[in-house]
Amino acid sequence: MTTSARRVRHAIRAVLAVVVLVTLALSIDFVATRDHSARGAVIGGISAGNRDAGGLDPVIEELAQRSTQPVVLRTPEGSAEVAPAELGLSFDGDATRARLLEQPRNPVARFLALFGRGLDVEPVVELDPAAMNKALDAHRRSLEKAAVEGGVHYQGTTPVGDEPAPGERVAREAAAVVLVDRWLDGAPIDMPMEPFSPTVSPEVVAATVAGPAERATSAAVKLTDRRKRTVEVPAGDIASMLTFGPDGRGGLAPRVDEKKARESLAPDLDPSQRPAVSATFSLASGSPTVVPAVTGSKINWDKTLQTLATTAVADGGNRTTDVVYDDVDPKLTTEAARKLGVRELISEYTTDGFSSASGENIRLVAAEVDGALVLPGKVFSLNGHTGPRGAAEGYVDSTIINNGRAATAVGGGISQFATTLYNAAYFAGLEDVDHTEHAYYISRYPEAREATVFEGAIDLKFRNNTRHGVLIETSWSPSAVTVRLWGTKAFEVESITGERTDPTEPEKIKLPKGDDCIASNGSKGFTTSNTRIIRDARTGQEVKRHTRTVRYAPEPNVKCV
């Protein structure tokens, strides 16, 4: 045997010996770690080698704790803290434990691990790309450098180009890989970036400056309103409200600043608008007839300014365009009013016996309520309908009840109108929502069937519980006030007043003479009741019966001394 052959034989024997030794070592290690994680296993920077399933608990708990912490994203532009759920990230602890318990299939890696070389294991992480993209979009200002789009603005009436510049954004596909790989390392994550170009090129900016932008301020534009009146928009005003911005297709489109445009144009154009007028009812013929509604018109500023811009940049001689209007429907159309069934008198009530000062206040409030329309299902509020009833509205001082005795205040006497209106609603069968009786009984009113009001505190409210509209008509004279309700008669109403019980004597009071003292003989207090029986007007069948018990305090006997 030659020397060369002997050398080959020895080499083969050496290799075989190494193989046998490695195989033996791997076999022994396999038996020793069969139910354990691989030797040298490292996950998320945490040592997890050669542990059984229970021994991996602290590792899984640490990773689970990390999975609840905000994710710190970093880019050259800045940073942002984002909740893992917002990024669409989720950690599967059970699957991660199972992955750690899998032995490596690569014998070389397993052998090297015997000598202390680490073996990286990735945690099981899921990522929702749609959620990630939404979260990154929300943090663009912190993480990305926006591209500067090209555009045009004006200095005076001279167009000036805004040169575009590229930006830098998060590379979304690469970001998904990095997030899954680095999330649970417990450290900030540097996001991969990519450059991107604006949609508008410098050439487009230059062409816009030389073309449409120059034409826009070459002369005034005239707007013709619905009255056929012309409003001239000078070149300087056009320049103050006009810019050019990206149109989404690589070009530049004119844009008008509505706020600036309206500051300039509204004083001349607003008077051309027409408010909508709802249908109303007239009683001039003795019964209700519908007064037709009027459709209004309102300037559509968006379309008007688009038209203005298009006309200004057009390559042609005609620089006149029309103001664009939208129709404004009335709250109550003519057709809807005719369907309300306001056609007959359904109740009427009159009260009298008031003083001249009270009469003036009653006249004013009656005029405000006259013509009010209560739609089906709606509540009428006397305070809500009239608003303030003070000296500024023409109301005068008259008698009120204050702290259990007579006094004076602006708007006194309106309770007489409230009582009249309450009784009209009572006999129409309308639902009583809120009313309050006077503190003591006033003889010109029906017992337990009257109402007082006080601005901001005590109101009269009733609901139209019929299927038809209810029109309120009022009439006034220096001695009486009447409320008539028109609609479609739904109910017949019977009123039964109860007996007086539990009389109480008035208190005798002496007060110093003066404007604050109003003498009175006083009257007894008592308890009484009123029962309202409501029947269906068509069938006569009883619909509802309600009894209201009222306790009137005695009116004090006041002497001014």
Side-chain angles (χ1 to χ4, degrees):
M1 181 180 293
T2 64
T3 301
S4 176
R6 284 197 295 270
R7 288 177 179 173
V8 170
R9 181 176 293 178
H10 288 313
I12 292 172
R13 287 175 179 173
V15 170
L16 289 174
V18 170
V19 170
V20 169
L21 289 173
V22 169
T23 301
L24 180 60
L26 291 177
S27 299
I28 294 171
D29 183 64
F30 177 79
V31 172
T33 62
R34 182 171 51 186
D35 297 323
H36 290 61
S37 59
R39 293 185 186 278
V42 177
I43 186 166
I46 305 169
S47 177
N50 196 23
R51 302 191 189 192
D52 62 15
L56 290 173
D57 285 348
V59 176
I60 301 303
E61 289 172 4
E62 172 63 22
L63 293 174
Q65 176 62 27
R66 291 181 185 180
S67 73
T68 65
Q69 302 302 310
V71 185
V72 179
L73 307 179
R74 294 191 307 198
T75 71
E77 295 303 313
S79 63
E81 286 192 0
V82 188
E86 186 181 349
L87 277 165
L89 288 165
S90 59
F91 167 63
D92 190 331
D94 291 338
T96 299
R97 185 193 305 273
R99 179 175 288 182
L100 282 166
L101 292 172
E102 292 176 359
Q103 293 297 320
R105 296 181 180 179
N106 187 332
V108 176
R110 189 181 185 101
F111 181 77
L112 292 175
L114 291 172
F115 298 93
R117 180 169 178 177
L119 180 66
D120 285 332
V121 179
E122 296 295 331
V124 179
V125 171
E126 297 293 333
L127 174 68
D128 180 354
M132 180 198 74
N133 286 329
K134 184 177 180 180
L136 292 177
D137 286 343
H139 292 277
R140 273 179 172 164
R141 290 188 177 183
S142 301
L143 300 174
E144 299 183 346
K145 178 184 177 181
V148 178
E149 287 287 4
V152 177
H153 69 279
Y154 287 88
Q155 290 182 353
T157 57
T158 302
V160 177
D162 303 316
E163 293 302 317
E168 193 173 24
R169 64 192 176 196
V170 175
R172 300 302 174 92
E173 290 187 9
V177 174
V178 170
L179 283 172
V180 170
D181 184 52
R182 297 284 313 282
W183 171 34
L184 295 178
D185 287 355
I189 302 175
D190 293 316
M191 304 301 287
M193 306 296 287
E194 63 183 7
F196 70 104
S197 300
T199 63
V200 178
S201 67
E203 293 75 19
V204 170
V205 172
T208 303
V209 168
E214 285 280 3
R215 292 194 296 270
T217 54
S218 62
V221 172
K222 295 179 180 179
L223 294 173
T224 304
D225 67 21
R226 56 180 293 274
R227 302 167 300 179
K228 302 304 179 185
R229 296 181 182 178
T230 298
V231 175
E232 186 172 282
V233 188
D237 287 357
I238 295 172
S240 69
M241 65 181 77
L242 185 66
T243 57
F244 289 79
D247 62 6
R249 301 184 299 275
L252 289 173
R255 297 174 178 173
V256 180
D257 185 318
E258 182 174 328
K259 182 179 179 181
K260 292 181 179 179
R262 293 183 73 157
E263 288 175 357
S264 173
L265 301 174
D268 291 320
L269 293 180
D270 278 354
S272 70
Q273 300 179 116
R274 181 176 63 194
V277 179
S278 288
T280 57
F281 291 87
S282 171
L283 294 165
S285 64
S287 60
T289 57
V290 174
V291 178
V294 177
T295 300
S297 58
K298 182 179 181 180
I299 295 172
N300 184 320
W301 283 101
D302 184 52
K303 290 183 179 179
T304 296
L305 297 178
Q306 287 180 21
T307 302
L308 170 64
T310 300
T311 302
V313 303
D315 189 6
N318 184 13
R319 295 179 70 83
T320 299
T321 189
D322 292 332
V323 178
V324 181
Y325 295 87
D326 289 333
D327 287 342
V328 179
D329 293 330
K331 291 183 179 179
L332 181 64
T333 65
T334 304
E335 181 181 3
R338 288 172 177 158
K339 291 179 178 179
L340 284 175
V342 179
R343 60 172 180 262
E344 61 184 331
L345 187 66
I346 60 174
S347 72
E348 178 178 4
Y349 202 79
T350 299
T351 63
D352 54 20
F354 44 75
S355 67
S356 59
S358 293
E360 175 61 15
N361 292 332
I362 293 169
R363 181 187 68 81
L364 289 173
V365 72
E368 286 194 67
V369 174
D370 188 40
L373 181 65
V374 188
L375 297 176
K378 298 300 181 181
V379 172
F380 178 86
S381 160
L382 182 56
N383 287 349
H385 183 83
T386 65
R389 297 187 295 263
E393 289 74 36
Y395 289 86
V396 299
D397 282 340
S398 189
T399 304
I400 64 168
I401 299 174
N402 186 27
N403 294 323
R405 63 183 180 86
T408 59
V410 173
I414 291 176
S415 292
Q416 177 137 358
F417 178 78
T419 292
T420 311
L421 178 59
Y422 170 73
N423 275 273
Y426 177 101
F427 284 106
L430 303 183
E431 179 186 340
D432 177 21
V433 174
D434 185 25
H435 86 279
T436 302
E437 293 83 0
H438 288 81
Y440 53 77
Y441 177 62
I442 300 173
S443 60
R444 63 180 177 272
Y445 301 150
E447 297 174 17
R449 214 181 67 215
E450 43 89 14
T452 185
V453 290
F454 192 84
E455 185 182 325
I458 304 173
D459 200 1
L460 167 63
K461 297 180 181 179
F462 60 85
R463 187 189 314 277
N464 177 3
N465 54 335
T466 75
R467 295 180 298 165
H468 305 283
V470 172
L471 175 68
I472 304 175
E473 178 195 9
T474 69
S475 59
W476 176 92
S477 76
S479 60
V481 62
T482 298
V483 174
R484 299 180 184 88
L485 301 184
W486 299 82
T488 295
K489 195 168 185 64
F491 307 110
E492 294 287 353
V493 175
E494 179 184 357
S495 177
I496 301 173
T497 301
E499 298 292 330
R500 293 186 180 187
T501 61
D502 302 324
T504 53
E505 295 297 325
E507 179 185 6
K508 293 183 179 181
I509 300 175
K510 292 182 179 181
L511 296 173
K513 286 185 178 180
D515 294 339
D516 291 336
C517 182
I518 299 176
S520 170
N521 292 327
S523 62
K524 291 183 178 182
F526 59 92
T527 298
T528 188
S529 65
N530 176 264
T531 298
R532 179 166 71 155
I533 303 171
I534 302 175
R535 296 183 175 88
D536 186 285
R538 184 174 58 85
T539 65
Q541 184 177 359
E542 184 173 318
V543 175
K544 186 177 182 180
R545 179 186 295 248
H546 176 72
T547 299
R548 184 180 180 93
T549 300
V550 179
R551 174 64 185 171
Y552 289 111
E555 180 184 2
N557 182 318
V558 179
K559 289 187 177 181
C560 302
V561 298

